[in-house]
Amino acid sequence: MTSKNTILITGATGNVGRQVVSQLLAARSGTVRALTRTPAGAALPGQVDVWQGDLSDPVALEAAATGADVVFLMWPFHSVEPAAAIVDTIKRHARRVVFLSSGAVQDGLFPEQQHQLVGRSHARVEQLIEQSELAWTHLRPSTFATNTLWWADQIRAGDVVQGAYGAVPMALLHEADIAAVAVRALTEEGHERAVYHLTGPEVLTQAEQVQTIGRVLGRPLQWRELSHEAARRRLLADGSFPDTFVEPLLDGYADMLAAPRPTIGHTIEAVTGTPARTYRTWVSDHAADFR
Ligand SMILES: NC(=O)c1ccc[n+]([C@@H]2O[C@H](COP(=O)([O-])OP(=O)(O)OC[C@H]3O[C@@H](n4cnc5c(N)ncnc54)[C@H](OP(=O)(O)O)[C@@H]3O)[C@@H](O)[C@H]2O)c1
């Protein structure tokens, strides 16, 4: 592709989207366009062509997609209801889509057979994209390191982090690494019909993640185990955490505890030439968020 491409980024103010935007700008890879519901608060760089709108609003998406060659699609919904219309609109304008899917999608299962809610919705969006005429790349990341920002209030308030399933092992990902793979797929040939399973470079339990934060901050942080029910009550009382997400999250942790230990993949290095960042690096990059 040439530098004349216009690349539309949805979810551009999110963890991954914001990184995709900044890495595309750094790479000078064409015109970067962003869709956001609130341009005034988006704090996107001045070079970004910002379009106001909700992804599920066909008129807004039609306008933002007009003239776009390539689209980075993130799925902010629990439902798949708007998916067919969204993919159809993208298809009428762009040649290629890079979809931020989820590691929760299991190979070999139809969307309705997926075990987790998030797996069902992302699998259905993947399917719709594959059935369109778009060239596509799916990114299936494991757990984001940014999820551990949910502990920031507790860490600011004291040395104990309370939660359920402290023994759950995760291969946490730095959002900059997910974005780096996305940028390659958005700007280079050779990623068509690829399903990229992305993981961080190490497996850490939630309790070990808290210890890592403590080491970076120079504080004796500890994990305190709560029952599923106690954690449910705590999360429901937390106004910043969506209620509808509480049960899927805790059920997801229970599934992860029962599942085989995650394996480490090397897709990030294979695609970008650079090894995935460690969780310790991620904490250092975000230390101010915990202080
Ligand atoms: N967290 C994990 O561990 C994990 C793991 C695997 C996959 N994933 C997947 O990754 C995605 C989340 O990515 P993220 O963490 O980068 O996102 P995020 O930080 O949660 O950001 C949400 C973004 O979605 C946009 N958004 C929300 N509702 C919208 C709407 N109705 N129309 C248009 N934009 C809307 C917001 O944009 P504005 O507010 O600017 O409009 C914002 O930029 C989800 O699909 C999730 O399933 C997450």
Side-chain angles (χ1 to χ4, degrees), residues 12 21 26-27 40 48 78 103 110 160 169 201 207 216 222 247:
V21 166
V48 178
H78 290 308
F110 290 111
V160 173
V216 173
Q222 287 174 16
E247 277 308 333

Side-chain angles (χ1 to χ4, degrees), residues 34 51 54 98 114 128 167 170 173 176 191-192 204 219 266:
W51 287 66
D54 189 304
V98 176
Q114 298 284 334
L128 285 164
M170 300 172 185
L173 276 160
H191 303 282
E192 288 79 14
L204 295 172
R219 289 179 42 198
H266 299 283

Side-chain angles (χ1 to χ4, degrees), residues 40 77 80 203 213 257 267 284:
F77 313 112
V80 290
V203 175
I213 299 170
L257 199 55
T267 306
S284 297

Side-chain angles (χ1 to χ4, degrees), residues 67-83:
D69 305 288
V70 187
V71 175
F72 175 75
L73 177 65
M74 71 80 67
W75 197 251
F77 313 112
H78 290 308
S79 141
V80 290
E81 200 264 321

Side-chain angles (χ1 to χ4, degrees), residues 103 106 115-116 165 167-170 203 251-263:
Q106 291 183 278
H115 299 308
Q116 294 179 22
Y165 302 102
V168 167
M170 300 172 185
V203 175
D251 289 348
Y253 286 160
D255 288 346
M256 288 161 84
L257 199 55
R261 194 172 166 82
T263 50

Side-chain angles (χ1 to χ4, degrees), residues 9-54:
I9 312 299
T10 68
T13 61
N15 295 309
V16 179
R18 201 173 279 286
Q19 278 287 332
V20 173
V21 166
S22 64
Q23 292 184 30
L24 282 171
L25 290 175
R28 299 177 184 276
S29 300
T31 302
V32 180
R33 189 181 284 180
L35 178 67
T36 173
R37 293 164 299 175
T38 52
L44 288 161
Q47 309 95 299
V48 178
D49 179 20
V50 179
W51 287 66
Q52 196 278 329
D54 189 304

Side-chain angles (χ1 to χ4, degrees), residues 222-234:
Q222 287 174 16
W223 177 265
R224 181 174 298 155
E225 185 71 19
L226 297 179
S227 68
H228 183 114
E229 182 51 30
R232 195 178 78 85
R233 282 197 303 272
R234 190 171 211 290

Side-chain angles (χ1 to χ4, degrees), residues 119-132:
R120 284 194 287 281
S121 60
H122 286 74
R124 176 63 180 144
V125 179
E126 286 188 6
Q127 185 184 55
L128 285 164
I129 289 170
E130 290 168 22
Q131 289 169 349
S132 75

